[in-house]
Amino acid sequence: VHHRLANFWQENPFKILGAIGVPTVFYIFKGREGQQHLQFQSKLMHTRVFGQFAVITMLLSLMGFKEYMDRSGKFITEGDVQARVAQMQQSRSELLYRLHRDRIDAERLADKRRQALEQDRKTGAVKKTNASKASIIDTV
């Protein structure tokens, strides 16, 4: 769970900052309501100063962690591993299928060439030569 949170944190630092910063500033503002001797403008200025301090501290912390994650790389979760394994298995099965299909196509082509050669020999278009030349024709 913490790896997924760290990965989300690295990918979306400003979403995290907004999700944490706005409620923090609101909490600071609500904390000033108990001070009845201050005017609204003073409460607002106190909230702004303390809120800026809190948000800038959070921003520096978030960016420090993001920098660490950028240098270290993402955490690999179990779900990432399973997805990668499934992708590799699918790629392997597709490759095996293509190899099988290519082998069948090559066999069909060689068979067609043999049949064409036999047909040409029957009609006399090609003279029967020694076996080494015939095998070259079969494999080409």
Side-chain angles (χ1 to χ4, degrees):
V1 172
H2 64 284
H3 286 176
R4 286 190 300 184
L5 180 63
N7 288 339
F8 182 79
W9 192 313
Q10 182 211 11
E11 294 168 1
N12 305 295
F14 292 108
K15 287 181 183 178
I16 299 280
L17 182 65
I20 295 172
V22 171
T24 300
V25 172
F26 183 71
Y27 177 76
I28 291 170
F29 181 73
K30 284 297 186 182
R32 301 280 165 234
E33 281 189 6
Q35 299 173 346
Q36 298 297 330
H37 65 283
L38 294 176
Q39 293 180 358
F40 180 74
Q41 291 173 340
S42 296
K43 290 179 190 178
L44 203 56
M45 289 304 290
H46 284 154
T47 300
R48 185 183 70 82
V49 170
F50 290 129
Q52 279 180 333
F53 172 75
V55 170
I56 288 174
T57 303
M58 284 183 234
L59 179 65
L60 290 174
S61 301
L62 284 167
M63 289 302 132
F65 184 75
K66 180 173 176 20
E67 180 66 26
Y68 165 75
M69 289 290 291
D70 286 343
R71 276 191 258 132
S72 301
K74 279 179 64 171
F75 286 114
I76 299 174
T77 62
E78 186 68 27
D80 294 339
V81 170
Q82 294 300 328
R84 181 73 175 134
V85 166
Q87 179 187 17
M88 291 170 76
Q89 287 174 343
Q90 182 179 358
S91 295
R92 181 180 183 275
S93 65
E94 289 173 1
L95 177 63
L96 289 174
Y97 174 74
R98 275 189 272 140
L99 287 172
H100 178 69
R101 190 182 63 217
D102 290 347
R103 189 178 319 118
I104 290 172
D105 290 344
E107 289 172 0
R108 285 181 186 161
L109 182 61
D111 191 41
K112 284 183 181 179
R113 286 181 178 168
R114 272 190 231 96
Q115 289 174 359
L117 181 62
E118 291 299 320
Q119 184 81 19
D120 288 345
R121 283 183 182 161
K122 285 180 185 176
T123 61
V126 173
K127 294 181 182 177
K128 193 168 189 174
T129 59
N130 62 17
S132 64
K133 289 184 180 178
S135 66
I136 291 173
I137 292 173
D138 286 345
T139 57
V140 174

